[in-house]
Amino acid sequence: MRVLGIETSCDETGIALYSGGDGLLAHRLYSQITMHQAFGGVVPELASRDHVQKLVPLIRATLKDANLTLAAVDGIAYTAGPGLIGALLVGAMTGRTLAWALGRPAIGVHHMEAHLLAPMLDADPPAFPFLALLVSGGHTLLIQVEGLGAYRLLGESLDDAAGEAFDKTAKLLGLGYPGGPAVERLAASGRSDRFTFPRPMTDRPGLDFSFSGLKTYCANTVRSAPADTATKADIARAFSDAVVDTFVIKCRRAIRATGSQTLVVAGGVSSNQMLRAGLDAMGHALNVRVCYPSLNFCTDNGAMIAYAGYLRLAAGQREPLGFKVRARWPLVDAVLETDSCAPAACGTGMLLSA
Ligand code: KG4
Ligand code: ZN
């Protein structure tokens, strides 16, 4: 079974072709970053319009890379949420329409489910069940993953997501957008012993997070410290240390509470090398395997959507002809529905096996 994946939840147009037998056949990514940079963040309407322009050429190019035509596609997966509603609509409508024209099934994928499954694209994938720390621009979640569509929320951010905190810190330090990679680069040359930032919510029980206070602490430090590059690097380092320590403390707590043997860390922030080093050391000490997506699949991409859609289609999930996108969508609601509609009502014919 070959599934075409379409990701348009934010500022990246991602297309991929995943085969159940042969793995990832091709993937393409177009990032809108340079277009949004002038505004210091993503402008939703510009994002939607750019997806409209890029989608079809990218689908064509991805199929060409794989040396295949649309006739070889057995199913289509598109991101149905959470994300920017206009941007989601572009991908969903394109995917749904293509699937209808081809007589193939289409499936709406939960963006955060796709992130958490991304490490499974690797040669030595983690196996269910596992604990997952999802750290992206919009979400910070600790999830107990029992299987596909079987998710239990253990903890989440009560305010800013981790990636959002990186982006806001970058802004305070006068770095560009997106902030995460810029803060990581600057922090690498900073000193750990000059400023000490709080480790939010680690002094009380529970697995929830809060990052907005850290941003305020950072703003106050920036205001009261000199504005030279070395000081900025020290602030970036203090911020990164605080985020890494907080995640290490909470993940250790979650591992002890659940007895998990495997921790999956995914989403844009999981590409941060300081975070990886901190969590690897923790995993080593607790004898727990810590898995990440490969670096090109940490941030948004089409491969993770194609893969998540493949797993759901292969498990027998089918959806009716209409489609629905959601700006907000709790991951625990993304259950596997294998008899959600009768084949006739699906209107897309049978799924063809490769
Ligand atoms: O998963 P993602 O691509 O999009 C969402 O689903 O939100 O995550 C994007 C977020 C941004 O906030 C970006 O600043 C952050 O991930 N990010 C990083 C790094 N690379 C991306 N944060 C810290 N360190 C990085 N190296
Ligand atoms: Zn994402």
Side-chain angles (χ1 to χ4, degrees):
M1 188 201 301
R2 295 186 202 94
V3 175
L4 181 76
I6 301 175
E7 156 63 28
T8 62
S9 69
C10 192
D11 59 347
E12 250 106 31
T13 319
I15 304 293
L17 202 52
Y18 183 86
S19 151
D22 300 319
L24 191 62
L25 300 177
H27 66 99
R28 288 242 178 182
L29 190 71
Y30 175 79
S31 174
Q32 304 175 350
I33 282 176
T34 47
M35 181 177 73
H36 298 294
Q37 256 161 359
F39 304 93
V42 179
V43 182
E45 185 55 28
L46 292 182
S48 314
R49 286 165 191 247
D50 206 56
H51 286 309
V52 170
Q53 292 193 321
K54 300 297 184 323
L55 255 185
V56 172
L58 269 181
I59 292 173
R60 285 208 175 105
T62 307
L63 285 166
K64 195 162 175 235
D65 290 346
N67 226 354
L68 292 169
T69 64
L70 276 175
V73 172
D74 302 308
I76 295 186
Y78 58 86
T79 307
L84 301 172
I85 205 79
L88 288 167
L89 274 170
V90 177
M93 192 188 61
T94 308
R96 202 40 197 110
T97 307
L98 254 183
W100 179 78
L102 294 168
R104 302 287 194 269
I107 193 149
V109 166
H110 192 294
H111 182 81
M112 298 312 292
E113 174 178 80
H115 270 305
L116 87 79
L117 297 172
M120 292 184 161
L121 286 162
D122 260 23
D124 183 18
F128 297 127
F130 52 73
L131 185 69
L133 172 68
L134 300 182
V135 278
S136 72
H139 297 82
T140 300
L141 304 168
L142 252 174
I143 305 273
Q144 176 64 33
V145 179
E146 297 298 343
L148 185 69
Y151 308 122
R152 189 160 61 90
L153 181 67
L154 302 178
E156 63 185 328
S157 178
L158 303 180
D159 41 58
D160 294 352
E164 195 178 351
F166 268 98
D167 293 336
K168 288 177 176 171
T169 297
K171 218 170 233 180
L172 289 167
L173 293 172
L175 307 172
Y177 167 84
V183 170
E184 176 171 19
R185 275 194 299 276
L186 192 59
S189 62
R191 280 167 41 194
S192 266
D193 56 354
R194 182 157 167 210
F195 302 105
T196 305
F197 282 29
R199 277 58 176 155
M201 294 183 73
T202 53
D203 58 351
R204 67 190 86 166
L207 296 169
D208 285 334
F209 305 92
S210 165
F211 291 110
S212 71
L214 207 49
K215 172 198 64 194
T216 309
Y217 198 93
C218 187
N220 292 336
T221 309
V222 169
R223 213 170 296 129
S224 57
D228 57 279
T229 308
T231 300
K232 284 185 178 178
D234 295 342
I235 292 173
R237 181 60 186 257
F239 168 81
S240 302
D241 285 346
V243 172
V244 171
D245 272 2
T246 302
F247 280 132
V248 167
I249 292 166
K250 294 287 167 123
C251 287
R252 189 190 296 128
R253 205 177 274 177
I255 287 165
R256 288 193 173 137
T258 58
S260 296
Q261 304 284 302
T262 307
L263 171 67
V264 159
V265 187
V269 184
S270 72
S271 56
N272 187 286
Q273 296 303 314
M274 283 179 65
L275 178 62
R276 288 188 176 209
L279 291 172
D280 284 345
M282 178 213 64
H284 188 72
L286 297 180
N287 203 18
V288 163
R289 182 177 177 208
V290 186
C291 304
Y292 312 88
S294 68
L295 281 178
N296 49 340
F297 299 142
C298 287
T299 45
D300 295 347
N301 63 87
M304 65 182 194
I305 305 299
Y307 181 63
Y310 161 76
L311 288 184
R312 282 184 174 258
L313 288 169
Q317 184 165 339
R318 296 292 179 274
E319 287 180 356
L321 196 52
F323 65 88
K324 183 169 156 189
V325 292
R326 289 174 248 202
R328 290 173 185 277
W329 184 6
L331 179 56
V332 291
D333 291 348
V335 292
L336 188 62
E337 291 170 18
T338 50
D339 52 0
S340 56
C341 70
C346 291
T348 52
M350 297 298 288
L351 186 75
L352 303 178
S353 292

